[in-house]
């Protein structure tokens, strides 16, 4: 197998139709329950367990062996991870790359730190597939994908930062800004791959208006958009419609987030990946 794309499960992608692909699950631990974020994960049970649970809950990134298993016997691997600022996934993938290349000197792994997650990773994976299909050499793909990731962005709207704060993924100061009932925070993945809050909103209309405004400011001109949501199809769909109308955008899609992003984005959360 010449090329393979491998991603951790924060990308929400489980299969690709036109290139070899593997998803490496993160884990969600709620008391004595452990959820593996693969295609079999019971998202309803996860939500139920989470709302019934009073104690601590957390997540764990893939280990080196998980990545190695996913690389399989591919000659060239393009591997993408959730932001290294918030997870050990990237470091663990880099260790796997080192082992893989040492063990098989004629094989090659390119690890991309997305500095983001969810739908922005999905866009990068789609682009990798496109580049592989077009028959490009691996050095070209590395260069092209580097340039592409510079113009993709991630915005989000969250109703609570509780799980992010409890797991030390946002500073207590940032967490304090959110968490007021009825207030949503809109923010972006910063250049350093951290959560950066941009504004607070009461009501859905404010979120929709702000997201469109930020997209425009960040250079959006009608390119691809991917939106993931946790139990909020209504807003995801309204946002998709509004982007299609306002920017005459032909390729805007939305879907439910898988376990890892659902856990952190929580009920009502939206993540928006787009091309700037
Ligand atoms: O290694 C692990 O256990 C995983 C930790 C992941 C922590 C962050 C997940 C964020 C999920 C939340 C909103 C968007 C954040 C943008 C980040 C740059 C989604």
């Amino acid at each position: 197998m010449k090329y393979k794309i491998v991603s951790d499960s924060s990308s929400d992608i489980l299969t690709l139709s036109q290139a070899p692909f593997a998803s490496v699950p993160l884990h969600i631990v709620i008391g004595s329950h452990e959820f593996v974020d693969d295609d079999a994960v019971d998202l309803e049970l996860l939500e139920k367990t989470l709302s019934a649970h009073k104690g601590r809950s957390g997540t764990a990134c893939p280990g080196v062996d998980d990545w190695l298993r996913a690389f399989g016997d591919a000659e060239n691997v393009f591997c993408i991870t959730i932001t290294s600022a918030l997870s050990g996934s990237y470091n663990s993938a880099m260790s796997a790359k080192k082992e893989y290349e040492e063990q098989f000197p004629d094989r090659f792994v390119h690890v991309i730190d997305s500095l983001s997650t969810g739908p922005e990773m999905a866009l990068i994976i789609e682009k990798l597939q496109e580049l592989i299909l077009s028959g490009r050499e691996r050095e070209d793909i590395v260069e092209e994908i580097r340039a592409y990731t510079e113009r993709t962005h991630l915005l989000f709207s969250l109703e609570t930062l509780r799980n992010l704060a409890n797991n030390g993924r946002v500073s207590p100061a940032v967490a304090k800004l959110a968490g007021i009932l009825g207030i949503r925070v809109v923010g972006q993945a910063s250049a350093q791959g951290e959560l950066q809050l941009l504004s607070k909103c009461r009501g859905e209309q404010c979120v929709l208006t702000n997201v469109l405004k930020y997209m425009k400011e960040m250079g959006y001109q009608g390119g691809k958009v991917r939106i993931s949501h946790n139990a909020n199809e209504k807003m995801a769909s309204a946002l998709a419609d509004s982007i299609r109308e306002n920017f005459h955008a032909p390729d805007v899609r939305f879907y439910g987030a898988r376990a890892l992003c659902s856990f952190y984005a929580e009920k009502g959360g939206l993540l928006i990946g787009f091309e700037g």
Side-chain angles (χ1 to χ4, degrees):
M1 195 192 310
K2 201 158 186 293
Y3 290 111
K4 186 171 189 179
I5 303 172
V6 177
S7 161
D8 68 44
S9 63
S10 72
S11 68
D12 300 311
I13 291 191
L14 293 168
T15 55
L16 282 184
S17 56
Q18 291 162 301
F21 176 78
S23 167
V24 182
L26 287 105
H27 293 232
I28 293 100
V29 185
I30 308 170
S32 57
H33 297 263
E34 179 156 355
F35 292 85
V36 181
D37 189 10
D38 59 16
D39 56 354
V41 70
D42 187 337
L43 294 167
E44 256 173 56
L45 184 65
L46 170 67
E47 196 58 58
K48 268 194 208 147
T49 312
L50 200 53
S51 26
H53 182 71
K54 297 279 169 281
R56 275 197 67 83
S57 55
T59 58
C61 69
V64 177
D65 288 343
D66 301 319
W67 285 112
L68 286 172
R69 254 194 312 278
F71 296 168
D73 58 0
E75 253 171 74
N76 296 293
V77 178
F78 292 96
C79 172
I80 179 160
T81 74
I82 187 169
T83 171
S84 64
L86 301 179
S87 168
S89 190
Y90 173 76
N91 278 334
S92 146
M94 284 300 282
S95 303
K97 164 193 162 74
K98 195 164 169 275
E99 253 185 57
Y100 196 71
E101 290 176 345
E102 269 168 17
Q103 201 181 345
F104 309 104
D106 52 349
R107 296 188 190 170
F108 166 83
V109 181
H110 179 59
V111 185
I112 302 166
D113 177 357
S114 72
L115 298 171
S116 182
T117 190
E120 186 176 356
M121 284 170 72
L123 286 174
I124 298 166
I125 291 167
E126 287 178 32
K127 179 57 106 187
L128 282 169
Q129 176 174 246
E130 221 176 277
L131 290 166
I132 289 170
L133 281 175
S134 70
R136 304 294 265 278
E137 289 305 317
R138 80 179 184 205
E139 287 72 22
D140 287 351
I141 300 181
V142 169
E143 248 340 285
E144 295 258 350
I145 208 68
R146 201 189 310 280
Y148 185 68
T149 53
E150 269 166 32
R151 65 185 186 88
T152 55
H153 305 281
L154 184 83
L155 285 166
F156 56 80
S157 159
L158 303 174
E159 293 183 12
T160 166
L161 303 182
R162 191 187 49 218
N163 286 341
L164 283 162
N166 285 344
N167 285 284
R169 260 75 191 195
V170 292
S171 73
V174 168
K176 240 191 188 157
L177 294 172
I180 305 159
L181 208 65
I183 301 287
R184 293 182 167 89
V185 293
V186 178
Q188 68 171 343
S190 71
Q192 293 73 36
E194 293 176 333
L195 272 90
Q196 181 184 355
L197 301 193
L198 298 170
S199 59
K200 292 203 266 182
C201 276
R202 192 178 284 282
E204 296 181 358
Q205 194 48 51
C206 168
V207 172
L208 298 181
T209 312
N210 271 305
V211 167
L212 256 69
K213 185 185 84 181
Y214 295 135
M215 284 177 74
K216 201 166 184 180
E217 285 172 11
M218 291 158 89
Y220 182 67
Q221 287 181 328
K224 281 163 106 178
V225 183
R226 299 290 175 262
I227 303 167
S228 71
H229 66 87
N230 178 345
N232 200 355
E233 185 160 333
K234 190 171 144 260
M235 252 182 104
S237 158
L239 177 61
D241 282 344
S242 160
I243 295 169
R244 288 187 193 108
E245 265 169 44
N246 281 277
F247 296 94
H248 309 288
D251 191 0
V252 182
R253 283 187 233 160
F254 61 89
Y255 44 84
R258 305 294 304 171
L260 191 277
C261 283
S262 290
F263 175 79
Y264 284 108
E266 303 202 39
K267 266 196 187 149
L270 290 182
L271 307 190
I272 306 109
F274 60 95
E275 297 177 340

